[in-house]
Amino acid sequence: MIRTIAITQDLHIKEDIPLDHLSDPSIKWFWVDLASPSEEEAKVLETFFHFHPLAKEGRRFYA
């Protein structure tokens, strides 16, 4: 499961917004939580956040 929390420039909290909205200029700060992600969800680390494949190697996710 992927969960997002963001704080806007005017300090409002938004929850569970789509990842593609995190680059909106109104977003000041965000947190993305991957809890027990599927393989498809874990690929978000590489495709959206551009983690190097070696950075993901040996990773473990705990619930």
Side-chain angles (χ1 to χ4, degrees), residues 5-6 9 12 14 16-17 24 26-27 30 33-34 37 39-40 47 49-52 55 59 61-63:
I5 299 173
Q9 295 291 345
H12 288 103
K14 292 185 172 186
D16 299 320
I17 60 174
D24 185 305
S26 69
I27 302 295
F30 64 85
D33 186 23
L34 283 82
E39 281 298 317
E40 183 178 320
T47 59
F49 294 105
H50 308 288
F51 276 41
H52 189 280
R59 66 166 169 54
F61 295 96
Y62 299 95

Side-chain angles (χ1 to χ4, degrees), residues 6-49:
I7 297 178
T8 62
Q9 295 291 345
D10 56 355
L11 303 179
H12 288 103
I13 297 173
K14 292 185 172 186
E15 295 186 40
D16 299 320
I17 60 174
L19 292 175
D20 59 343
H21 291 181
L22 295 177
S23 60
D24 185 305
S26 69
I27 302 295
K28 181 176 184 169
W29 178 90
F30 64 85
W31 177 271
V32 178
D33 186 23
L34 283 82
S36 300
S38 65
E39 281 298 317
E40 183 178 320
E41 290 173 329
K43 286 187 184 274
V44 168
L45 294 174
E46 190 174 340
T47 59
F48 187 81
F49 294 105

